[in-house]
Amino acid sequence: MSSTTPALLAQGISKTYPGGLRAVRDVDLAIERGQCLALVGQSGSGKSTLARCLLGVEPMDSGRVWLGADELTALSGETYRRRRARMQAVFQSATDSFNARLPLLTSVLEPLDCQPDVLRRRVEQAGGRRQLAEQLFERVDLPTTLLDRMPGRVSGGQLQRAAIARALSIEPELIVLDEPTASLDVSLQARILNLLKGLQEELQVSMLFITHDLAAARFVADRIVVMRQGQFIEEFPTQDLCADQRDPYTRELVNLFR
Ligand code: ADP
Ligand code: MG
């Protein structure tokens, strides 16, 4: 595979909801390997819809999606499932994404179930399933004793860390994070953002970081793309957020965070 192949490439993504609302309008997107791209825009601009289209959990009107060299939109069945698992997601509400009846130990390794080769290798390297789960929890600064708890018995911030550990279990090529800190209080938000930044620096995992919070985007992302009413307004390196040539809409967003 060429080293210049983006981690994720999407072309011509459009999504109309029943009733006619065009939530995503012919959007193109590329995330380079090891890069964190922040997708920012006000509530209702279509960020989550786009994320769900990329993740294949929302049927689209049109569009093509590649993960590395493989076109996901050309795959189906088991091949699709296995390939798609290399892209993991973390959502705003960790509570919804964990099975309330399973201990975290079971849930945290769940993405590996459809990747038997990765599971075997990682469990062997770690010296057992439990040990692998412990390593993952340690990586996200969670006490390993929490592995035996049910999701309802840990805090929101801890569960969001567990969701990140679960996403990492499979050594993903890309993680899509949709407002991962929006339901946490400010000090917990900062700790999760620090964790994400550390992971990016250490593991060079590619990320699509979705947020309505420009300050968060600025902290974690290498590049920023601004979305409004289903369309991309502009994309630029994070350090150019306040540059003179920014679109008036981007400036409005910046001013909201002053
Ligand atoms: P964001 O994540 O940027 O807040 P969304 O993708 O959630 O934006 O929503 C984009 C638009 O699509 C909004 O107008 C929202 O009301 C609408 N929308 C989102 N989900 C649905 C749905 N399941 N059915 C109909 N309309 C939806
Ligand atoms: Mg959203």
Side-chain angles (χ1 to χ4, degrees):
M1 190 184 304
S2 154
S3 61
T4 56
T5 312
L8 183 83
L9 182 67
Q11 281 181 354
I13 309 293
S14 292
K15 168 70 189 179
T16 309
Y17 282 113
L21 179 80
R22 295 177 63 207
V24 179
R25 306 174 185 211
D26 195 20
V27 159
D28 298 336
L29 179 86
I31 303 175
E32 301 305 323
R33 282 169 196 278
Q35 188 178 70
C36 177
L37 176 70
L39 171 59
V40 304
Q42 286 177 303
S43 178
S45 55
K47 306 182 297 297
S48 295
T49 302
L50 174 59
R52 292 199 300 268
C53 290
L54 298 174
L55 290 162
V57 296
E58 183 89 74
M60 335 183 248
D61 311 346
S62 59
R64 301 172 73 184
V65 179
W66 288 261
L67 187 64
D70 297 324
E71 185 182 350
L72 294 180
T73 36
L75 301 176
S76 60
E78 182 61 15
T79 325
Y80 171 79
R81 221 165 56 83
R82 288 184 62 132
R83 197 65 194 88
R84 155 62 181 79
R86 307 290 299 154
M87 170 162 61
Q88 287 288 307
V90 174
F91 296 105
Q92 176 173 346
S93 169
T95 321
D96 295 345
S97 46
F98 280 89
N99 185 329
R101 295 160 198 271
L102 294 177
L104 294 178
L105 173 61
T106 308
S107 294
V108 85
L109 298 180
E110 181 256 343
L112 287 162
D113 288 343
C114 64
Q115 303 272 312
D117 321 341
V118 184
L119 177 65
R120 207 172 310 116
R121 173 171 56 75
R122 296 211 76 184
V123 167
E124 237 165 60
Q125 279 167 356
R129 279 184 82 98
R130 168 110 202 165
Q131 286 80 353
L132 173 58
E134 287 183 355
Q135 287 176 4
L136 290 164
F137 262 36
E138 280 162 6
R139 184 61 202 77
V140 299
D141 303 323
L142 280 179
T144 55
T145 50
L146 296 189
L147 282 168
D148 302 305
R149 301 247 188 114
M150 297 295 172
R153 308 287 299 166
V154 303
S155 73
Q158 287 170 333
L159 203 55
Q160 200 54 295
R161 280 173 195 272
I164 295 168
R166 181 175 60 184
L168 291 174
S169 68
I170 203 167
E171 298 172 329
E173 288 165 43
L174 179 88
I175 307 182
V176 177
L177 302 116
D178 190 357
E179 306 271 9
T181 63
S183 54
L184 303 175
D185 71 42
V186 173
S187 72
L188 283 177
Q189 283 185 16
R191 291 179 57 191
I192 296 277
L193 294 177
N194 271 311
L195 170 65
L196 292 175
K197 206 173 164 71
L199 290 174
Q200 226 188 301
E201 281 161 9
E202 186 188 330
L203 307 174
Q204 272 91 49
V205 51
S206 317
M207 291 184 190
L208 177 62
F209 178 78
I210 300 174
T211 182
H212 67 280
D213 178 350
L214 263 188
R218 192 174 200 175
F219 182 73
V220 295
D222 305 300
R223 292 179 70 79
I224 295 177
V225 60
V226 179
M227 193 170 191
R228 180 194 196 187
Q229 293 175 355
Q231 289 176 308
F232 284 177
I233 301 291
E234 58 175 346
E235 185 184 331
F236 46 83
T238 302
Q239 71 261 26
D240 294 347
L241 176 62
C242 297
D244 290 343
Q245 73 269 30
R246 284 290 70 84
D247 187 273
Y249 181 70
T250 306
R251 288 172 192 231
E252 260 176 60
L253 288 181
V254 170
N255 287 331
L256 284 178
F257 283 90
R258 282 250 154 80

